Amino acid sequence: MNRKAASGLVLALVVVVGMAFRVSWNALRDVARAIGADEQASLLYPFVVDGLMALALIATLVLTGRDKTVALWILGGYTVASLLLNYVHGLVPALHAPEVGTLVRLADWDPAHYALVLIATSLPVGAIFFGSDLVAKVLHHRPAPVSEPAYERRADSSAHLPHTPVPAAHVGAVGSPSGTELPAVPTVSALVGEGADGVGGEDPHGPHTLRTPEPGAQEEDTRQAQFEEAELERTRQDARRTYAESAQAGRPLSARALGEAYGMSESWARKQILAVRDTSDSDSHHPHLVAVGGES
């Protein structure tokens, strides 16, 4: 609906509500006079009843949850009370413009008369209580934030890419004195992929060869830890072999270059280099490193 049509609809609603209030105002004024209200009080009485109805209606449009339910109950209660008093005004001719200060019975049956007088006199007091409560609820109301759907969050942002280790060929080609290059060092992700295929396939010694119909959560965690430890150990062995080959070629890799080649830290690579050197020093069968392709 366009703005002009919406404005016309709201204006028409205001006109209808104003005319309905004028009709109801006449009956409520006469009832107020009949229960002992003075001239000024009887003129203000309809604004108390129908005015609280308008306030409760606005509150139902703003509030949510339990507060909205309370506002609806107040709106319904005052609507029924106003309808009842208008109905009584139509049944009792003596209520039509009675003199100020003249008490008129609202019903011939005493219990009905007392009940109607109680309703008519309690509406102003209720308007003070319920009106204050509704205003406090509206002023302290905080609308709930609208959460974005998960698929719309950061739709334009690129996904985070995992770290891919740099092959040794990009760190620096390690070759023999004759110019031949060593084979490229396999990446850690490739090693993990190979290990996963081997474990799930033909390797009878893999950590996942023993399968149970429904393994528990603890078994799965243990197997996962064993698999990760096996892959880490395989990575350490490959890193040590790579460093040993580069040392044999006369161009040993630095700890930083070795760590970057396997996607690890420099301190991790330094430990692998120290392990290779300790093994070389303690190995009596290989007292010195031999260059690849050279003569011993």
Side-chain angles (χ1 to χ4, degrees), residues 25 29 32-33 36-45 98-101:
W25 179 84
R29 181 203 59 184
R33 286 178 177 176
D38 58 18
E39 185 67 26
Q40 186 177 5
S42 62
L43 291 176
L44 296 176
Y45 186 83
E99 296 181 2
V100 177

Side-chain angles (χ1 to χ4, degrees), residues 75-137:
L75 174 62
Y78 267 72
T79 300
V80 172
S82 178
L83 176 62
L84 180 62
L85 295 181
N86 276 269
Y87 175 71
V88 171
H89 180 266
L91 288 179
V92 181
L95 291 176
H96 300 167
E99 296 181 2
V100 177
T102 302
L103 297 180
V104 179
R105 291 184 60 87
L106 301 181
D108 295 333
W109 187 40
D110 288 343
H113 171 69
Y114 297 145
L116 290 173
V117 171
L118 177 63
I119 293 174
T121 54
S122 63
L123 289 179
V125 180
I128 298 174
F129 175 78
F130 294 120
S132 302
D133 183 63
L134 288 176
V135 171
K137 282 181 168 57

Side-chain angles (χ1 to χ4, degrees), residues 55-251:
L55 177 61
L57 178 60
I58 296 174
T60 58
L61 301 177
V62 177
L63 300 175
T64 57
R66 184 176 178 275
D67 293 341
K68 182 174 184 177
T69 303
V70 173
L72 286 173
W73 276 105
I74 295 173
L75 174 62
Y78 267 72
T79 300
V80 172
S82 178
L83 176 62
L84 180 62
L85 295 181
N86 276 269
Y87 175 71
V88 171
H89 180 266
L91 288 179
V92 181
L95 291 176
H96 300 167
E99 296 181 2
V100 177
T102 302
L103 297 180
V104 179
R105 291 184 60 87
L106 301 181
D108 295 333
W109 187 40
D110 288 343
H113 171 69
Y114 297 145
L116 290 173
V117 171
L118 177 63
I119 293 174
T121 54
S122 63
L123 289 179
V125 180
I128 298 174
F129 175 78
F130 294 120
S132 302
D133 183 63
L134 288 176
V135 171
K137 282 181 168 57
V138 170
L139 293 179
H140 290 85
H141 176 67
R142 295 291 182 272
V146 180
S147 59
E148 298 179 356
Y151 59 86
E152 290 184 0
R153 294 179 194 162
R154 301 289 183 181
D156 53 344
S157 61
S158 58
H160 176 69
L161 298 178
H163 175 73
T164 304
V166 182
H170 295 283
V171 176
V174 179
S176 63
S178 60
T180 59
E181 294 185 358
L182 291 175
V185 179
T187 62
V188 177
S189 58
L191 292 173
V192 174
E194 270 182 11
D197 293 340
V199 168
E202 301 175 355
D203 187 4
H205 304 290
H208 288 282
T209 54
L210 181 60
R211 296 182 180 274
T212 55
E214 292 183 359
Q218 188 173 2
E219 275 188 6
E220 289 294 335
D221 294 342
T222 303
R223 291 182 179 183
Q224 183 65 24
Q226 292 175 353
F227 173 74
E228 292 176 356
E229 180 61 30
E231 295 305 325
L232 288 175
E233 180 60 28
R234 185 175 301 180
T235 303
R236 287 192 288 266
Q237 294 297 332
D238 290 341
R240 294 171 186 175
R241 183 170 60 253
T242 299
Y243 177 77
E245 291 175 353
S246 66
Q248 289 175 356
R251 297 179 61 184

